Amino acid sequence: MRALAHFRRWAKDREDNTISKSWLVEYQGERIADGNKGFASLVRNAGLGPEVTPLTIRHTAATWVMQAYADMWDAAGFLCMSVAALARVYGHHYPDHHRTAVETIGRRPR
């Protein structure tokens, strides 16, 4: 796995224990073999249904940050997507996304 090689190199360069030196994903020094198992447990403990997926959570987060007038650059970084993708897919959730069109529709050009 190419990513693991990069993580090992970064860990060696740092010479500390903040990055795993053995596994791509680990918890308390032990390998995490199945990330979905932990997510399923989290969903169950939260009282949510089995239809909730990581994508559901990401979609909800994107919708909420847009509804809260979040800075597009910050929101895109948090959600690990480009600003263009955030605007294209979630831009309609921004409360004022049609404001200038609505304000100018009745004006005549000079």
Side-chain angles (χ1 to χ4, degrees):
M1 177 178 276
R2 290 185 298 169
L4 182 56
H6 289 295
F7 279 101
R8 285 183 177 149
R9 187 183 74 248
W10 295 330
K12 182 180 176 196
D13 291 346
R14 289 181 57 129
E15 295 182 10
D16 62 21
N17 292 323
T18 60
I19 296 177
S20 172
K21 293 177 177 61
S22 303
W23 310 106
L24 182 57
V25 180
E26 70 176 41
Y27 177 70
Q28 296 181 343
E30 297 295 321
R31 176 179 177 222
I32 300 294
D34 184 1
N36 291 331
K37 183 178 173 185
F39 186 80
S41 177
L42 179 123
V43 167
R44 188 174 51 257
N45 290 338
L48 302 172
E51 71 280 0
V52 175
T53 67
L55 185 59
T56 306
I57 303 298
R58 186 176 194 224
H59 174 73
T60 301
T63 300
W64 288 353
V65 297
M66 294 302 284
Q67 289 174 339
Y69 292 92
D71 176 80
M72 293 280 277
W73 183 262
D74 288 341
F78 175 75
L79 296 161
C80 299
M81 65 176 69
S82 70
V83 172
L86 181 65
R88 183 180 68 251
V89 178
Y90 299 99
H92 65 283
H93 291 293
Y94 209 79
D96 291 339
H97 82 281
H98 284 146
R99 181 180 49 82
T100 58
V102 170
E103 289 173 353
T104 60
I105 195 73
R107 293 187 195 159
R108 291 187 167 188
R110 292 180 190 201

